[in-house]
Amino acid sequence: MAKTKYVYFFGNGSAEGNAKMKELLGGKGANLAEMTNLGIPVPPGFTISTEVCEAYYQNNKKYPAGLDAELKENLKKLEELMGKKLGDADDPLLVSVRSGAAASMPGMMDTILNLGLNDKAVEGLVKKTGNPRFAWDAYRRFIQMFGNVAKGVAHDVFEHILESAKKAKKVEEDTDLDAADLKKIVESYQKAYEKALGEKFPQDPMKQLQASVDAVFGSWNNPRAIKYRSLNNIKNLKGTAVNVQSMVFGNFGEGSGTGVCFTRDPSTGKNEFYGEYLMNAQGEDVVAGIRTPMAINTLKRQNRKIYEQLVQYKNKLEKHYRDIQDIEFTIQQGELFILQTRNAKRTGPAAVKAAVDMAKEKLISHEEAVGRVTPDQIDQLLHPMIDPVHRKTATVLAKGLNASPGAAVGRIVFTAEEAEAWAVRGEKVLLVRRETSPEDIGGMAVAEGILTSTGGMTSHAAVVARGMGAPCVAGCKAVSISGNNMKVGNKTYKEGDWITIDGSTGEVFEGNLGLVTPKITSDLSTFLKWADEIRMAAVRKGMKNKGFVVRTNADKPEDAKVARAFGAEGIGLCRTEHMFFGEKELIAFQEMIVAEDLAARKKALSKLLPYQKKDFKGIFEAMKGLPVTIRLLDPPLHEFVPKTPAETKELAGKLGVNAAVLKRKIDGLHEMNPMLGHRGCRLGVTYPEIYDMQVEAIVGAACEVAKKGVKVFPEIMIPLIGTYRELEMLKANAEAVAEKVLATQKTKVKYTIGTMIEIPRAALTADEVARYADFFSFGTNDLTQMTFGYSRDDVGSFVPEYIEKELLEHDPFQSLDQTGVGQLIALAVEKGRSVKPELKMGICGEHGGDPASIEFCYRANLDYVSCSPYRVPIARLAAAQAVIANRS
Amino acid sequence: MAKTKYVYFFGNGSAEGNAKMKELLGGKGANLAEMTNLGIPVPPGFTISTEVCEAYYQNNKKYPAGLDAELKENLKKLEELMGKKLGDADDPLLVSVRSGAAASMPGMMDTILNLGLNDKAVEGLVKKTGNPRFAWDAYRRFIQMFGNVAKGVAHDVFEHILESAKKAKKVEEDTDLDAADLKKIVESYQKAYEKALGEKFPQDPMKQLQASVDAVFGSWNNPRAIKYRSLNNIKNLKGTAVNVQSMVFGNFGEGSGTGVCFTRDPSTGKNEFYGEYLMNAQGEDVVAGIRTPMAINTLKRQNRKIYEQLVQYKNKLEKHYRDIQDIEFTIQQGELFILQTRNAKRTGPAAVKAAVDMAKEKLISHEEAVGRVTPDQIDQLLHPMIDPVHRKTATVLAKGLNASPGAAVGRIVFTAEEAEAWAVRGEKVLLVRRETSPEDIGGMAVAEGILTSTGGMTSHAAVVARGMGAPCVAGCKAVSISGNNMKVGNKTYKEGDWITIDGSTGEVFEGNLGLVTPKITSDLSTFLKWADEIRMAAVRKGMKNKGFVVRTNADKPEDAKVARAFGAEGIGLCRTEHMFFGEKELIAFQEMIVAEDLAARKKALSKLLPYQKKDFKGIFEAMKGLPVTIRLLDPPLHEFVPKTPAETKELAGKLGVNAAVLKRKIDGLHEMNPMLGHRGCRLGVTYPEIYDMQVEAIVGAACEVAKKGVKVFPEIMIPLIGTYRELEMLKANAEAVAEKVLATQKTKVKYTIGTMIEIPRAALTADEVARYADFFSFGTNDLTQMTFGYSRDDVGSFVPEYIEKELLEHDPFQSLDQTGVGQLIALAVEKGRSVKPELKMGICGEHGGDPASIEFCYRANLDYVSCSPYRVPIARLAAAQAVIANRS
């Protein structure tokens, strides 16, 4: 049997490991090896493998035999390569000892720097650098870090000594202490160390190293590391590796320096070398912002040789890693070292631009390009953002739910009427309300954005705002509204005051921060075209269509047009009730609601028919050639009647009925739990004439449009089915009306009739329901409400606390609960297709625009997702990524 | 191959068929054969088998070859046996032709009587009976029946002739027409027949017979018969048989008569011969009530021989059929014929008495006795009933839901306050409200019964009334209440008016009808003991306990005692919130709700602790030795606070807080859909101190009671779990509190912690939830609400219409929806036991008292059902019957 190898060396242009050995060497160790092999000047060192960690824990915290010898051998090799020795009195080698597992666990495990310093070596460092302050500060830091991290001496012990020294000298900053001060502190640290541990601070660098290696392996199982792995579902790792690497310093003097650079501009994505650096500084100085770093171009003038080396290395690294690199470098006494490279974080526009450019440069494939942009980054491209300059300095006033993305600036108004009045005067307004109701639609339409103090992600305000593409912050509990005032903490804002909201983050700011509107580039369309190619070529087992379609939820022709421009391939949900909120429509509908008998109801409905038909025609024309799913009336009737006595009286006047009678009628509509009440197909059962009118309007509109030569594919959707018998009856009713219209119009239009699956019972009995359905559309908003027993209007009182206490991983109205609700969907898909193998299925709940939910829908073999117009591009990308992620 | 036999003869003491041949001969034919074989004097005849019907339809409505010959042969045999001939001019044989399938389909198919009469035979009948009127009337009836039933002549055609004849003679009743009149009518009938059909009325009895047989077979597939079979799920029958039987007449003269008798008294169950008869009468005369029938004992004096024969036959029939028989008999010219025997319909008390008596007489086994009583019949024994004498003549004013069984009489009051005020004065009151709320509890407790105009079977009024054992009619839509008036149709009732309600049927009557209270006999306890023996000996695969336990839902010590007396074997649901409605308790709880911070909440809760503890002690003592499941707080907090400004102001005064601040606080609790809101364990998460107090009270009470030597088995139930993490957290909290109490009290009490499965998601993820649960209790009320998406408070607006239109088979809140909700239960049982094979499971929803649901629970392998105290005996019986029905 071959002897197990425990330690892997890297340095001088070659390494024993490489990037593929992450599992054995950890991410950090593997990448240091990889860079070394590439000829990148990485400070040399060696990695103790994760197998040692595994053995250490399996063998009661004892190291495998042979490790010690390998360690010494590698150390010797390192000293030879560096021409320095640990603890040397003239030119000591200093090393860092760092953790590094196969999965990233930032900050969870231990790190020790400057190892190798002792009372002799510190003098060697003084000699070598000619900088006693630097040397003593490094020694001080090492004792503190070693004492605390490797030996468990309380942090306070050292901090207290440091603070006392500063107090004694009456200074505030560590930098105000000189070499002599630091030397004294080192003495005090050593005493404190001895007092705390009953042993002297070890002068033997090998002992220092051994204890540090112990500490890093020990930190693998510290509570926060265990918690982190559990939370992030990191499993089946052997343990951490330990990286021992020679230290380099950017603060050795004026010939030294440190910096960060990017292979392309991470803000714009442009292929321009971008970065910042500081001479005679440590990495933390660049980040801390005390000194102003210099642009990387300056280095070209300052030290052309180093600059050219850096350009050479960054080009090599980007080419090797095939993505924008974020590179840390240090110049030590005129010599360039690369400390780290990683894929750069970037803005949405940058992500798209770089992905498209790199694919065009043939650096990556189209598919890789599609994988390089997150759906959230696409979202950034579609909405105005707060001016980043002003945002930096602005303080967040309050934080609510990020209910509809994009930022908005406007003057506060507290009613929809005021919103409309101010808008007429050309004012930009922001509508602020406890919650909105359908009567506020007019005001919402003219407002720049909406802020509500109650309600969740699927409250009226949130849903309507998303539909309109208007920014919205909902359920912002810190905001308390009374009359014409809005209070946040102890600040009061009145009508007309300026505020700024960011619907992408849920933040609310005081004043007008100004907006910037990202431009939609041709890069984005190229990018989405590539995504669509992947999405539409997806092959799924047992599916009729290969592709995975993205539709939109749109209620009006204008919305349909927007969505189509964004790439929607049909309408998955057209809510007919929103069409009743026009002034004339509403009064006719109210007349229908309060009608005393069938004849009166039919008369009122006949007034509505032409309005509905006109809307449907507009939508069919906008979506010509694409399917349009139209949902018949869903909300309970009481949503359409006045709530206050004054409004009731007004309506009575308009309708010419007795106000008291009207009030009794309206009171009779009241429900304890409207969500679970007389709505959806239940209205279709008790008032068949309503659905009859709607079907007549749909099929009538389809015929008229078809006669013009426009291809129409109406899909009539019956909501809230709980038993197959409801669908059986209502489908028969609808067919009878549709056939009558077709006969009268003497036109052939192919229409289908399907149902929403949004009641748990419908999912459970999907095999029965499927017999009467041409399609299923999962209404995951209501399905989530009923599966969880959560009213989306009321969850604000406990769901935020649930998420905080980790009782819920996320808001189930934002991202589909795959365990519970998803189980019902999977069951319904299986049961439905067991009866009708080619049953078309899609999702039309709010989840249709959420990337994780879209992936679930793909895996659940749904034919399509449908989301609000402004999320269509996001869904197109998420769908393509789902296809890629699920290739077997 | 043996020749198929189509026709089966019966008569003269022997028959070719028997009772076991129902499938072939139909129920009627098989029983006529059986009685004949027993030596019972059944009028002879023969049965054409169901196979003929099957062949008839399979072969395009043609009869099998050979049938005709068999028919003639049997007819000849019948004529010989009777010594009469069809159509004979001196002494004609008359026969009936009746349908009879294997399953009873009463009134769905055709019947023809008096067949064989023609212009000659009618004269023979005149001769033989000496009663021309009788003969001509028989002929008239035959033509009418034959014309209508066999030939499809409209009923009106004949009725019109008859009416004209009466008009011409200026008489009102058929009986006022004499033989001459009837003879003329026969002539008119024959003319009308010929006019309608273009052929003469057939004089040939064979043609009459053939056409009648055709008609009966034809009626098998008439629309109403098809509908009936579909509705009653009657499947896989060959068809109907046809019974041709010689006619006997009780109206041949004074030596003739007819009657109905019961082998035991069907009202009391006493083993006393009971019956009524009329001489010179037809069966319909006994039923019609025009002449007053005589008690069967009179026959003993009037015709001792016939009487003794009848006694002999009835004894033989009861012994043979082993149940109370309901026997129809006819005496024709001094000769006794038995026309029919069947198991008698009986009252609840009679069912129990007869079952117990017959088992004691060794006529039937204990198990058969248990099968002889329906759960509804037991229900009759437990509640007052409206005096049957007065009920007979009373008209039903309105009908609502039969929400809580038993009848009640009282004077109308419209508020709980008035109810209490009148009750103090010693008045019997009936509380009439739109709906009740927790604040009405006091008034409900003193009322004789409750009538509400809205709300369903699980509305507040219904649930509380059942818990109290008070009769309740709920959701009585015909009743409209405004102020101090109640309107039904155009009648108005005011406070103080007497009304009577029947909560077992949902009926409402005007006035005081008087009540009778059935006595609970020792027979009932014997009967239930036998049921329990069967129930507790049940062996089910994979179940820990053999028996199938019946627990009760009880919130107070008094309820617990009642339930225990009724045989409850534990408490399945003790709702702690009902304990908060005492005056002092409520104010402390309200103080807790409006408290500004944790300290103030804890202070208020500490006031509640002793009350809760006292209640728990009472319950533990009442249920000593039996398990008690206590549910922690479930309803939303707004149920406990005032609703009107006046009440709010009053409470503010009591609590010493600012009324405006209190109002804001209360408004903040408002929810759109409280059913899906901040309640159940969600309160336990956001206000852990509430559950902590309750657990402290439960375990503290258990310790104190245990110290007295009483065995206590507290089971702490956490409601409304939707994710396992909720249970994980709340269980840990509860255990911490419980262990602290046990340590302080230095007592050992074994307690368990489990959860309600009432949220669909909890059922879907039962494997996850089970890991943290000692037991599951299915809360099928809420589970039904969420699985269907029905608010039980609001379903009144559409569920009745759904049932009427057959969109629902029954109200899913009354009887469990086994297809949908049951599927979730079965899934949860399977998933739960997959993780914890011995997980105790039961049901505590209202369905626990419904027999069909109890059977489902048994099949689903639940350990117990739990129901309101007054339904415990019903559940014990239903459970035993479930055991019997599911023996493999």
Side-chain angles (χ1 to χ4, degrees), chain A residues 520-710:
Chain A
I520 297 184
T521 61
S522 70
D523 286 330
L524 179 59
S525 27
T526 304
F527 178 80
L528 288 173
K529 206 188 81 203
W530 294 346
D532 289 348
E533 282 163 10
I534 293 163
R535 176 167 65 84
M536 297 313 288
V539 178
R540 285 180 293 168
K541 215 176 133 185
M543 296 289 295
K544 188 181 174 187
N545 295 319
K546 289 199 329 180
F548 182 41
V549 168
V550 174
R551 293 195 187 186
T552 191
N553 299 350
D555 306 337
K556 283 179 289 186
E558 308 87 82
D559 299 341
K561 279 175 204 155
V562 170
R564 190 157 189 168
F566 277 134
E569 295 154 328
I571 288 181
L573 176 62
C574 171
R575 285 163 290 221
T576 51
E577 57 270 18
H578 290 177
M579 299 176 181
F580 294 150
F581 284 110
E583 201 184 338
K584 286 173 192 166
E585 291 88 331
L586 186 56
I587 190 82
F589 197 62
Q590 288 170 331
E591 185 186 327
M592 190 288 297
I593 292 171
V594 304
E596 280 303 325
D597 56 29
L598 181 62
R601 264 201 305 281
K602 283 193 169 172
K603 194 179 146 213
L605 285 168
S606 71
K607 292 183 194 169
L608 272 170
L609 180 69
Y611 295 118
Q612 288 251 295
K613 211 154 120 182
K614 183 166 159 270
D615 282 331
F616 293 140
K617 280 171 72 176
I619 287 171
F620 288 143
E621 280 165 6
M623 299 305 282
K624 64 178 164 186
L626 297 176
V628 176
T629 304
I630 298 170
R631 180 177 72 182
L632 302 184
L633 184 69
D634 185 55
L637 298 183
H638 48 74
E639 283 198 9
F640 300 90
V641 293
K643 272 148 200 79
T644 66
E647 290 168 331
T648 305
K649 213 173 152 191
E650 191 190 334
L651 179 62
K654 280 188 201 164
L655 297 176
V657 298
N658 179 293
V661 172
L662 181 63
K663 185 178 179 309
R664 190 135 16 107
K665 190 98 194 181
I666 289 174
D667 287 349
L669 294 173
H670 173 77
E671 293 185 311
M672 296 287 284
N673 298 288
M675 173 48 218
L676 306 175
H678 194 173
R679 52 176 282 242
C681 72
R682 299 162 195 173
L683 292 169
V685 168
T686 54
Y687 303 108
E689 54 280 6
I690 300 179
Y691 279 14
D692 286 355
M693 180 277 287
Q694 294 197 297
V695 172
E696 188 180 341
I698 294 167
V699 181
C703 286
E704 291 180 21
V705 171
K707 280 178 186 169
K708 293 192 208 164
V710 174

